[in-house]
Amino acid sequence: HAVAQVWRPLYRWTITEGLKRLDLDADQREVPPDATATLQAIKDERERGIYLLCDFHPYLRYPMTLRLVREILARDGSAEHTLVLIAPKLEDLPPEIAAAAVRYAPKLPDEAALAKLVRDEGFAYAREHAGRRAEIDAAVLATIARNLIGLSLSDARRVARTLIHDDGVLDSRDLPALGKAKFELLSKDGLLHFELDTASFADVAGIARVKHWVAQRRAIFSGERQVAGLDPPKGVLLLGVQGCGKSLAAKAIAGGFGVPLVRLDFGTLYNKFHGETERNLRAALGNAELLAPCVLWIDEIEKGLATGDADDGVSRRVLGYLLTWMAERKKPVFLVATANQVQHLPPELLRKGRFDEIFFVDLPSEVARAEIFRVHLAKRGVPLDGFDLAALARACTGFSGAEIEQAIVSGLYAAHADGLALSQRHVATELAQTRPLSVLMAEQVEALRAWARERTVPAD
């Protein structure tokens, strides 16, 4: 049997142009563009129609506008019209009409569409530059397209065009700039912080096991390789003594995976109004998924999840939502959480399966301490000639990486005051005058190391 087609006229309303018919070049009715007159005209129209109302939601807070919308939806003296509210971000609708609404969010372009867009922008560059061909690295085109996922076509086109027109080349060197541009487009609420300088593994002394662990999983996480039965890695927890390089390790993990690093500061989430803290967490994790593939770094996670009754259960609800997200997320967001005080971590977070691995970043060994001296001296342009790194390493047993760095900084100030170049003597003097945390808080540090000895994997 033939099915009769249902045909309805289509109208669009904007505050600048008023009500316009789109499906036919028919004579347009003269209707004032204000919201009340428009809704009255829709209600009086006897032929069923579809009305696209662009950026109409601010007018729903007025009683007359809301009453007219409700009468149209209830078919009270009105034909069976369909109202379509169109907005970039549609907040909660008034409860009087929320039950009658169905939300629809158009799908964002997939990887294939974004790869085609990048190639099209390369052709456009050639047309605009007298046939000079844009160099797009075919080997990293899929990676570039994956990094654009989460953007609309127009935003992705603007980012790709900027990167190509910068130097006529689009390759792996553009990935950090691409990540930063994507972050600026998607995360405008200040809940996430984009970390521009992700350290390379070569800049991090020690943590050999972490480096090996990440290298084994890079291809699977990035999507370069798919192996049956192997799920992409989801996250690690870095425990350790303060100043031993957990934050640097988090940055190095992002560099090892070759993806952007975004940091979530729990302090920005908490809000005095009921429900706002949980809403902020949902928004932050949602933005992280839009930025995928990426590494999400939560520093000193124990400070945001200290459960108790003092905050009316807010921390408990935050923990519950975070655990649910960790278990159910589908996007490639690798979670790196760092913590100093394991006794303050909720047991639910530590149970097997929450993280792929729990690494303990201990005080650096003698070999690692010598490497830390080399890295920080080279970073400050100090020639290594005349320095006995092994002797310096032996002189600072129990020092953390941060304490070694500070000894070099203090030595530089002392050398500057003497009008001399930095020497072994300056650094050795500062080391001798420093009492490391492992001495000042020996009991707490030893207790942490003893706890981790049987429960975690050494990072080095």
Side-chain angles (χ1 to χ4, degrees):
H1 299 284
V3 178
Q5 290 186 333
V6 178
W7 177 84
R8 297 188 186 185
L10 178 65
Y11 295 87
R12 181 185 66 199
W13 175 88
T14 66
I15 190 63
T16 55
E17 296 183 353
L19 199 60
K20 301 287 184 183
R21 186 162 180 174
L22 300 181
D23 60 317
L24 291 176
D25 291 331
D27 293 336
Q28 303 289 340
R29 291 177 298 169
E30 292 294 332
V31 179
D34 66 90
T36 302
T38 298
L39 290 174
Q40 189 63 56
I42 293 173
K43 181 182 177 183
D44 294 341
E45 177 60 55
R46 309 320 304 165
E47 183 181 19
R48 294 188 302 172
I50 300 174
Y51 294 85
L52 310 180
L53 307 179
C54 301
D55 299 320
F56 194 82
H57 53 287
Y59 305 102
L60 294 176
R61 64 178 182 268
Y62 298 117
M64 175 65 78
T65 303
L66 187 58
R67 182 67 248 173
L68 283 169
V69 170
R70 294 183 67 188
E71 290 177 358
I72 293 171
L73 296 179
R75 319 302 189 200
D76 185 3
S78 167
E80 296 181 355
H81 301 307
T82 300
L83 303 182
V84 182
L85 303 180
I86 301 174
K89 186 177 181 180
L90 195 57
E91 298 293 348
D92 294 338
L93 291 172
E96 296 90 339
I97 62 174
V102 176
R103 290 181 179 271
Y104 173 74
K107 288 186 177 181
L108 293 169
D110 59 14
E111 186 177 326
L114 292 167
K116 180 180 182 300
L117 178 147
V118 173
R119 288 192 294 267
D120 290 345
E121 285 305 310
F123 295 140
Y125 178 88
R127 290 193 300 270
E128 295 172 14
H129 291 78
R132 179 190 167 192
R133 184 179 176 183
E135 298 178 23
I136 300 178
D137 191 331
V140 298
L141 179 59
T143 302
I144 292 170
R146 278 196 300 273
N147 278 269
L148 288 171
I149 288 176
L151 298 180
S152 65
L153 275 175
S154 58
D155 285 341
R157 187 180 305 279
R158 187 161 62 249
V159 171
R161 182 174 297 168
T162 299
L163 296 177
I164 292 174
H165 281 250
D166 182 42
D167 55 5
V169 178
L170 190 58
D171 56 22
S172 59
R173 293 172 296 181
D174 290 301
L175 290 176
L178 190 159
K180 183 174 185 295
K182 182 178 177 181
F183 174 83
E184 290 173 348
L185 285 169
L186 294 177
S187 186
K188 299 177 181 178
D189 48 20
L191 298 173
L192 295 176
H193 306 276
F194 189 86
E195 299 289 332
L196 252 181
D197 298 321
T198 54
S200 69
F201 273 9
D203 296 330
V204 183
I207 63 168
R209 283 190 176 89
V210 175
K211 294 178 182 179
H212 181 67
W213 192 93
V214 170
Q216 283 184 327
R217 291 158 176 78
R218 172 173 177 148
I220 302 297
F221 177 75
S222 65
E224 297 171 9
R225 189 185 311 153
Q226 294 183 348
V227 180
L230 278 183
D231 295 328
K234 292 191 173 182
V236 295
L237 175 62
L238 301 177
L239 299 174
V241 182
Q242 291 186 23
C244 286
K246 296 184 298 299
S247 299
L248 186 59
K251 296 180 180 181
I253 288 172
F257 280 133
V259 297
L261 175 68
V262 290
R263 178 170 55 86
L264 172 59
D265 181 2
F266 265 122
T268 63
L269 295 180
Y270 281 82
N271 190 293
K272 65 181 180 180
F273 296 108
H274 181 75
E276 283 301 307
T277 299
E278 298 91 313
R279 185 196 298 268
N280 287 340
L281 179 61
R282 287 194 297 271
L285 296 178
N287 284 339
E289 291 188 341
L290 290 175
L291 290 164
C294 68
V295 169
L296 175 63
W297 169 29
I298 304 180
D299 196 20
E300 298 186 341
I301 190 172
E302 73 272 24
K303 293 184 178 178
L305 298 179
T307 54
D309 299 326
D311 59 359
D312 295 325
V314 173
S315 296
R316 281 286 179 189
R317 293 194 295 272
V318 166
L319 173 62
Y321 186 83
L322 178 63
L323 294 178
T324 301
W325 176 83
M326 290 172 63
E328 298 181 356
R329 71 185 184 277
K330 304 299 182 184
K331 297 293 183 67
V333 178
F334 188 85
L335 177 62
V336 176
T338 62
N340 296 319
Q341 297 174 308
V342 66
Q343 68 273 20
H344 292 164
L345 285 173
E348 302 96 316
L349 192 68
L350 294 174
R351 80 155 175 82
K352 201 66 176 176
R354 296 297 189 194
F355 292 96
D356 296 326
E357 198 59 87
I358 300 177
F359 289 105
F360 183 70
V361 185
D362 203 350
L363 293 167
S365 64
E366 184 176 321
V367 173
R369 294 197 298 273
E371 180 64 14
I372 292 170
F373 276 111
R374 186 195 65 77
V375 168
H376 285 297
L377 289 171
K379 179 181 176 181
R380 290 164 176 80
V382 178
L384 297 181
D385 298 340
F387 282 91
D388 185 348
L389 301 184
L392 289 174
R394 288 192 297 271
C396 61
T397 302
F399 278 57
S400 67
E403 289 162 343
I404 291 173
E405 180 183 13
Q406 191 55 46
I408 293 173
V409 172
S410 298
L412 283 168
Y413 274 108
H416 176 73
D418 294 341
L420 301 171
L422 180 67
S423 67
Q424 175 113 355
R425 176 180 61 83
H426 293 112
V427 178
T429 300
E430 295 301 328
L431 292 175
Q433 295 175 353
T434 300
R435 294 294 176 268
L437 188 69
S438 61
V439 172
L440 294 176
M441 302 184 67
E443 294 79 9
Q444 294 92 322
V445 170
E446 188 51 42
L448 176 59
R449 297 175 76 184
W451 181 93
R453 199 169 291 127
E454 301 296 330
R455 297 174 175 86
T456 63
V457 176
D460 198 359

